[in-house]
Amino acid sequence: MEEMEEELKCPVCGSFYREPIILPCSHNLCQACARNILVQTPESESPQSRRASGSGVSDYDYLDLDKMSLYSEADSGYGSYGGFASAPTTPCQKSPNGVRVFPPAMPPPPTHLSPALAPVPRNSCITCPQCHRSLILDDRGLRGFPKNRVLEGVIDRYQQSKAAALKCQLCEKAPKEATVMCEQCDVFYCDPCRLRCHPPRGPLAKHRLVPPAQGRVSRRLSPRKVSTCTDHELENHSMYCVQCKMPVCYQCLEEGKHSSHEVKALGAMWKLHKNQLSQALNGLSDRAKEAKEFLVQLRTMVQQIQENSVEFEACLVAQCDALIDALNRRKAQLLARVNKEHEHKLKVVRDQISHCTVKLRQTTGLMEYCLEVIKENDPSGFLQISDALIRRVHLTEDQWGKGTLTPRMTTDFDLSLDNSPLLQSIHQLDFVQVKASSPVPATPILQLEECCTHNNSATLSWKQPPLSTVAAEGYILELDDGSGGQFREVYVGKETMCTVDGLHFNSTYNARVKAFNKTGVSPYSKTLVLQTSEAAGAHETKPVKDTDSEEQTLPFPVPSERLPLRRMSPFSSTLNLQPSFPGRSYFDFRSSPHQLSLHSSLQSLNAPVAWFAFDPGSAHSDIIFSNDNLTVTCSSYDDRVVLGKTGFSKGVHYWELTIDRYDNHPDPAFGVARIDVMKDVMLGKDDKAWAMYVDNNRSWFMHSNSHTNRTEGGITKGATIGVLLDLNRKTLTFFINNEQQGPIAFENVEGLFFPAVSLNRNVQVTLHTGLPVPDFYSSRASIA
């Protein structure tokens, strides 16, 4: 019942109602509080003046309430009766429960009568503190308002239910707590006093004893004074006026204003309204029950939110820790590469120190010897050896020529960590359910007319859809490993054209691209299937199926006016290359709902071949190129290394070199090498090269400065050296004049290899590529 307490308090004083009266607006006020908020009105607004003017409006008839209100409909309801000459402005105040009330313009005159009987100032007006509607009182004053007997009874029961335990009324000293009440005697007894003063015998045996709480209620429910009519104080309410919705007396029906109204029996209407109130309470009870269930649901949600928050935070921390662990592992791997580069640089510099030290010792010895020879006084003996000494001195001087005194390794580390994609990904790390303020870019469209493959490189071009309104900040190009594996990023940036070099020959790659901005990334484009070259020759096209399943041929030449961005392939077995292949390539595409296909159509020979030339960009500075980089020689007496442009990581490849010039029996070397092989020593001196070096009589295989398999048979001018790299069987074999030179030179070779040659100024060779594998080796391999 504590929730009901606010309903039982007066809006003016904030205490429980005392002698509450009912205003025509159905709100209640204490009778004393109603007197305190009366306001005197001008004479012209009095009921008498209105009756004199012929107005027949009832003072308290709320059907005509607007005619009695001193405020307009647009008013806020707050104010006072200012503006009249007879009534000064009176500010509104607030009651203890926050309701605005209007105090009287002047204090009421002192009186010794009760508030109900005290005279009301003439021409008074009262304003309801809850709905702010105003009424002008008639001559009866506050007695014209009915008293709320029901509210009084509810307040009494509420107060008594909260009162202290009832005490025995017959205890002489300290009253004990009452245990029963006699309804006939109207006395509360404790057990000892009941046995002594109210024994259950004789006439007292017929009295009804009830518990104290029930007795207290019964006492409060004892017959009250019957409510009387406000217009006829000597008459009790006997009927109910349906039109006015109020109880009336017999005299009101005979001669009052209710004489022509429909009336019903008071008891019948009492029961009817009780039923209506009960039915209304049933609906309200259902709403209250739903509200309680809703509150339980909200409290459960609070607990679930707390639990989910803890769980989500733990998940977020675990995910971030996993990223940190992955970054730490990658950090360790990168540090290992730095240490490896560090050791490699130290090894190269120390080898150069050792090499220069030996050569300097030889040079110093020759100088000291020549000085001693100069000291000799035998002219004939001196002339016998002077020419040879002069040639040796010039030769030794040439050996200290260009590049010899140049460090083979720089002190700077050529490694450069590209962390921008990772930083960009970290900045884009966000919760997927967070709605962005702007949309993601549209899906890019691959431009097939500008996409192409060329030997073992691929060029891709894309663009935003023509009607796209969302700008893209960059693009992400992804490529698989050529074997149907996972996609990996090969380019992230703003360009819309990219060339990926160093792919496997005769392999099929899948490519796709997506756009991104600050909001997020777009969906992937359609997958593009790229076929790298397997043969060279004339061009051809293949039939293409578009989205309507109609066969047609659509050749697309590679545009030459656009310089594409070149990117290194992301795979460990490939590097950034720029293969040289004359002529144009034509390509077909196949469009379906799921995939686009791009194929390099080159003339098919009996076996896959590759076209390439020597690479000036990676060669030693002493190497001299001619014949479109197919012919090389050297300006130094020392051996210098030159590599081919194309690297191989799988398949069978064969190429030849012809000896154009061969003077003074030098030892050129032929074979394969890694991209970072030493360029100023003979091929095979370090662990990055696998070679055969040969003179005019015999040959040797060499790797990591280890010489093996001496084989008779050398070279002369016009000889042909063949190199066969079989990465399917992981072997390297050499040929001289179409005859195999010795056994299989090297086995278990795997990785990325470049054709390589080392020579000096006494040798000139020409490279021949695009050659099929020798027939005898093909037949031998098929038998094996």
Side-chain angles (χ1 to χ4, degrees):
M1 295 179 65
E2 292 182 358
E3 291 84 356
M4 183 181 65
E5 186 168 317
E6 290 300 321
E7 294 286 336
L8 308 180
K9 290 184 177 181
C10 175
V12 177
C13 63
S15 302
F16 289 108
Y17 287 104
R18 293 184 299 275
E19 297 182 350
I21 59 175
I22 305 175
L23 300 180
C25 58
S26 299
H27 293 128
N28 299 284
L29 283 177
C30 296
Q31 196 169 43
C33 295
R35 179 175 292 276
N36 290 336
I37 63 173
L38 290 177
V39 176
Q40 191 171 1
T41 62
E43 185 69 25
S44 60
E45 296 294 327
S46 66
Q48 293 81 0
S49 62
R50 292 196 302 161
R51 291 193 187 101
S53 62
S55 173
V57 179
S58 172
D59 297 326
Y60 308 124
D61 191 348
Y62 256 73
L63 296 176
D64 298 321
L65 182 62
D66 290 337
K67 297 180 180 179
M68 296 182 289
S69 176
L70 298 180
Y71 298 100
S72 68
E73 292 283 343
D75 253 337
S76 63
Y78 300 101
S80 63
Y81 295 94
F84 299 104
S86 60
T89 301
T90 55
C92 60
Q93 298 177 350
K94 280 190 177 181
S95 68
N97 59 358
V99 179
R100 294 182 181 270
V101 298
F102 296 89
M106 59 184 65
T111 177
H112 300 289
L113 301 175
S114 66
L117 301 176
V120 175
R122 186 188 175 115
N123 303 333
S124 295
C125 174
I126 186 170
T127 300
C128 176
Q130 291 182 288
C131 65
H132 308 296
R133 292 188 175 181
S134 301
L135 293 172
I136 299 176
L137 277 62
D138 59 9
D139 294 337
R140 293 173 296 170
L142 296 178
R143 290 183 292 106
F145 298 116
K147 294 184 179 180
N148 197 337
R149 305 288 183 185
V150 176
L151 181 56
E152 277 188 296
V154 173
I155 293 173
D156 288 343
R157 290 196 300 274
Y158 179 77
Q159 288 178 327
Q160 291 176 19
S161 67
K162 303 191 62 160
L166 296 173
K167 302 296 182 180
C168 177
Q169 294 176 292
L170 298 180
C171 290
E172 295 181 355
K173 293 184 179 180
K176 296 181 181 179
E177 185 175 345
T179 56
V180 296
M181 174 197 173
C182 178
E183 289 186 341
Q184 285 73 24
C185 302
D186 196 17
V187 177
F188 290 94
Y189 299 95
C190 63
D191 287 338
C193 293
R194 178 180 59 82
L195 294 175
R196 185 178 69 250
C197 303
H198 201 288
R201 59 182 180 271
L204 297 178
K206 297 181 179 180
H207 287 196
R208 183 168 180 260
L209 301 179
V210 296
Q214 183 179 348
R216 177 171 54 188
V217 174
S218 299
R219 175 181 287 185
R220 297 307 304 173
L221 291 179
S222 59
R224 296 176 180 271
K225 180 181 178 181
V226 179
S227 60
T228 59
C229 179
T230 55
D231 293 333
H232 311 91
E233 296 182 359
L234 299 179
E235 298 291 338
N236 296 330
H237 289 143
S238 59
M239 301 297 287
Y240 181 81
C241 179
V242 178
Q243 181 176 345
C244 298
K245 296 182 180 180
M246 61 182 296
V248 295
C249 67
Y250 174 78
Q251 192 172 351
C252 290
L253 299 178
E254 290 293 332
E255 55 187 34
K257 59 184 179 181
H258 303 282
S259 58
S260 60
H261 294 175
E262 179 186 1
V263 295
K264 290 187 178 181
L266 191 64
M269 293 303 296
W270 174 53
K271 292 181 181 180
L272 177 62
H273 281 214
K274 272 195 172 183
N275 291 334
Q276 292 177 353
L277 180 60
S278 298
Q279 292 175 2
L281 284 176
N282 289 335
L284 185 60
S285 176
D286 293 339
R287 295 295 178 267
K289 183 179 179 180
E290 293 176 0
K292 289 181 180 179
E293 295 175 353
F294 180 65
L295 286 175
V296 172
Q297 180 183 355
L298 291 180
R299 294 189 180 97
T300 305
M301 287 180 60
V302 170
Q303 182 178 359
Q304 291 177 349
I305 289 173
Q306 292 175 345
E307 294 174 354
N308 292 341
S309 175
V310 172
E311 180 181 356
F312 187 79
E313 288 179 3
C315 181
L316 178 62
V317 170
Q319 289 177 321
C320 292
D321 289 344
L323 293 176
I324 294 173
D325 292 341
L327 186 60
N328 287 331
R329 289 194 298 271
R330 188 58 180 167
K331 173 184 174 183
Q333 295 173 358
L334 294 175
L335 287 175
R337 288 183 58 186
V338 172
N339 291 333
K340 184 177 180 181
E341 181 71 11
H342 167 252
E343 296 298 331
H344 172 67
K345 285 180 176 289
L346 290 180
K347 183 178 181 300
V348 171
V349 173
R350 286 168 180 166
D351 289 346
Q352 189 174 14
I353 291 174
S354 176
H355 178 73
C356 289
T357 301
V358 172
K359 187 173 290 188
L360 180 60
R361 187 183 300 114
Q362 294 174 351
T363 302
T364 304
L366 178 61
M367 291 172 59
E368 292 177 352
Y369 175 68
C370 291
L371 290 175
E372 293 299 325
V373 170
I374 291 175
K375 294 178 182 178
E376 292 295 325
N377 296 323
D378 184 2
S380 59
F382 178 83
L383 291 175
Q384 287 178 345
I385 62 174
S386 61
D387 288 339
L389 287 177
I390 291 173
R391 285 196 302 272
R392 287 185 61 190
V393 169
H394 286 305
L395 181 61
T396 303
E397 182 182 1
D398 290 339
Q399 290 178 352
W400 289 101
K402 180 180 179 182
T404 306
L405 300 179
T406 301
R408 298 173 182 172
M409 189 65 63
T410 63
T411 57
D412 297 331
F413 282 78
D414 298 331
L415 301 176
S416 178
L417 182 63
D418 184 12
N419 62 348
S420 56
L422 180 59
L423 290 177
Q424 185 179 26
S425 299
I426 292 175
H427 293 155
Q428 292 177 351
L429 188 64
D430 202 351
F431 303 109
V432 294
Q433 65 266 32
V434 175
K435 300 300 181 183
S437 57
S438 58
V440 298
T443 304
I445 298 175
L446 288 164
Q447 301 188 89
L448 298 179
E449 66 275 11
E450 297 190 22
C451 295
C452 63
T453 59
H454 186 183
N455 273 357
N456 62 340
S457 65
T459 298
L460 296 102
S461 178
W462 58 89
K463 64 179 181 179
Q464 281 291 100
L467 301 179
S468 175
T469 58
V470 181
E473 295 182 3
Y475 302 91
I476 301 174
L477 176 64
E478 295 183 0
L479 212 66
D480 68 357
D481 58 1
S483 302
Q486 293 183 348
F487 282 90
R488 286 178 277 184
E489 294 182 2
V490 297
Y491 171 69
V492 178
K494 298 182 179 180
E495 300 293 333
T496 58
M497 194 173 196
C498 178
T499 295
V500 183
D501 296 326
L503 303 176
H504 301 309
F505 279 96
N506 193 26
S507 299
T508 301
Y509 290 89
N510 295 308
R512 63 187 184 184
V513 65
K514 60 183 178 181
F516 66 86
N517 58 12
K518 293 180 179 179
T519 301
V521 296
S522 71
Y524 284 105
S525 67
K526 291 184 178 181
T527 302
L528 190 68
V529 179
L530 304 131
Q531 176 69 42
T532 54
S533 301
E534 65 177 45
H539 309 302
E540 65 177 14
T541 59
K542 294 186 176 182
V544 176
K545 181 179 293 185
D546 65 7
T547 55
D548 297 327
S549 301
E550 297 179 358
E551 297 293 332
Q552 54 179 311
T553 300
L554 297 176
F556 296 112
V558 181
S560 59
E561 69 277 3
R562 251 182 113 176
L563 181 62
L565 176 69
R566 308 193 70 84
R567 294 288 293 182
M568 185 178 71
S569 172
F571 314 112
S572 59
S573 61
T574 57
L575 287 172
N576 184 17
L577 309 174
Q578 297 182 2
S580 173
F581 177 72
R584 296 189 304 173
S585 296
Y586 288 86
F587 306 93
D588 303 334
F589 77 93
R590 188 174 295 109
S591 177
S592 71
H594 305 288
Q595 193 176 74
L596 300 174
S597 176
L598 178 67
H599 179 71
S600 174
S601 302
L602 303 174
Q603 182 184 22
S604 298
L605 301 178
N606 293 330
V609 296
W611 298 85
F612 60 91
F614 288 117
D615 182 16
S618 62
H620 193 279
S621 57
D622 291 340
I623 297 294
I624 301 173
F625 295 85
S626 60
N627 189 24
D628 293 329
N629 298 332
L630 295 175
T631 301
V632 293
T633 185
C634 182
S635 62
S636 172
Y637 285 103
D638 291 330
D639 291 309
R640 301 291 186 250
V641 174
V642 59
L643 301 179
K645 273 191 174 183
T646 301
F648 305 105
S649 59
K650 68 177 182 179
V652 182
H653 308 279
Y654 179 74
W655 61 93
E656 292 181 348
L657 302 107
T658 56
I659 308 299
D660 301 332
R661 179 165 52 83
Y662 186 77
D663 302 329
N664 298 327
H665 310 298
D667 299 329
F670 310 89
V672 296
R674 306 288 191 194
I675 188 66
D676 54 347
V677 66
M678 295 174 60
K679 305 297 195 309
D680 55 355
V681 295
M682 180 183 288
L683 195 67
K685 285 284 187 179
D686 61 0
D687 60 351
K688 300 293 194 295
W690 293 257
M692 176 188 73
Y693 73 93
V694 59
D695 60 15
N696 59 330
N697 292 319
R698 61 193 69 84
S699 66
W700 292 264
F701 302 144
M702 185 164 61
H703 172 65
S704 296
N705 206 24
S706 175
H707 307 254
T708 59
N709 296 99
R710 172 177 170 176
T711 305
E712 296 299 323
I715 59 173
T716 59
K717 179 180 178 181
T720 300
I721 307 297
V723 182
L724 178 63
L725 177 63
D726 187 348
L727 291 171
N728 296 336
R729 302 172 63 186
K730 302 179 182 179
T731 60
L732 180 64
T733 308
F734 295 97
F735 301 85
I736 296 181
N737 296 326
N738 297 323
E739 296 291 336
Q740 182 171 333
Q741 183 73 357
I744 294 176
F746 301 99
E747 297 180 334
N748 298 321
V749 292
E750 54 183 339
L752 180 65
F753 300 96
F754 294 85
V757 175
S758 69
L759 42 73
N760 62 12
R761 63 187 303 171
N762 295 318
V763 183
Q764 177 177 301
V765 299
T766 297
L767 175 66
H768 303 276
T769 62
L771 303 176
V773 177
D775 294 336
F776 72 88
Y777 182 83
S778 300
S779 60
R780 185 196 311 168
S782 61
I783 295 174

